[in-house]
Amino acid sequence: MVITGNGKGKTTAAFGLALRAAGHGLRVIVIQFMKGSPNYGEYLAAREHLSGLVSVEQYGRAEFVDKGNPLQVDVDHAHRGLARAREVLADGAFDLVVLDEINVAMDFGLLSWSEVEGLLAGRNAAVDVLLTGRYAPGALVQMADQVSEILDIKHHFADGIPAREGIEY
Ligand code: ATP
Ligand code: MG
């Protein structure tokens, strides 16, 4: 499954799916690329209130990655996330694996499509996987069973409304 597009709601939709799956006793892990801050409500909720149901692991820095010129540490974090994803997709320890912002990690050049393609090829067929983030590569869209694109019709950021706790993070 893929959730892409420029509108707001990709990561929050992924956590909605995680909650739904957990409600049925499925074991869920969310592996977040390019994120490295505990100050996200979804991270806090999982850690404080959903432990044992939804695991969240972050593989990134708290700061923004420079698209044209990523740091080596950004590439390294993304590859640690990739290695962890490879492990959980192969071993079946989780029923649902969410790879949050992995599409952006590819778009920024931290990971290549062929690395992600290999990751998906190596998965245990019983494991569901959801990849989120803008700019999903065409080959991923082709391969996926389900693709949703969130359209940006309007966002309050354009009106100068700053990121709000509980809504943006
Ligand atoms: P969310 O995490 O709220 O579900 P998202 O995962 O769809 O959003 P990303 O592209 O990952 O969005 O960007 C994350 C942050 O950018 C969020 O704080 C979100 O509110 C903000 N954002 C998303 N879409 C837009 C947009 N079209 N214009 C401005 N800011 C946006
Ligand atoms: Mg997101």
Side-chain angles (χ1 to χ4, degrees):
M1 294 173 278
V2 175
I3 304 177
T4 191
N6 292 337
K8 172 177 163 59
K10 299 172 290 293
T11 296
T12 45
F15 274 89
L17 183 67
L19 194 60
R20 174 175 287 176
H24 289 287
L26 301 182
R27 300 154 302 168
V28 183
I29 185 169
V30 182
I31 294 176
Q32 300 196 297
F33 293 85
M34 300 174 65
K35 287 180 179 169
S37 163
N39 197 32
Y40 286 98
E42 56 271 35
Y43 181 89
L44 295 168
R47 194 183 66 189
E48 303 299 327
H49 305 293
L50 302 171
S51 97
L53 296 173
V54 179
S55 301
V56 182
E57 297 181 8
Q58 297 186 328
Y59 294 89
R61 292 183 295 126
E63 296 75 26
F64 286 116
V65 179
D66 183 351
K67 182 168 182 178
N69 190 22
L71 301 176
Q72 185 59 42
V73 67
D74 297 321
V75 175
D76 293 346
H77 277 310
H79 282 88
R80 286 195 307 113
L82 184 75
R84 178 65 171 143
R86 198 175 283 129
E87 182 176 85
V88 297
L89 283 171
D91 72 9
F94 294 92
D95 303 296
L96 172 64
V97 176
V98 176
L99 305 174
D100 186 38
E101 314 299 356
I102 195 169
N103 298 336
V104 185
M106 286 186 273
D107 185 59
F108 276 52
L110 305 182
L111 301 176
S112 68
W113 162 242
S114 69
E115 286 174 309
V116 175
E117 188 179 28
L119 169 72
L120 296 172
R123 82 185 195 283
N124 179 323
V127 180
D128 277 301
V129 57
L130 168 62
L131 298 89
T132 83
R134 294 162 189 234
Y135 317 123
L140 172 62
V141 168
Q142 286 258 311
M143 163 193 292
D145 299 307
Q146 184 192 82
V147 180
S148 299
E149 179 175 12
I150 300 195
L151 178 66
D152 178 29
I153 292 178
K154 59 166 81 167
H155 191 288
H156 49 234
F157 185 73
D159 298 321
I161 311 290
R164 289 172 302 159
E165 183 178 282
I167 303 293
E168 262 74 47
Y169 63 93

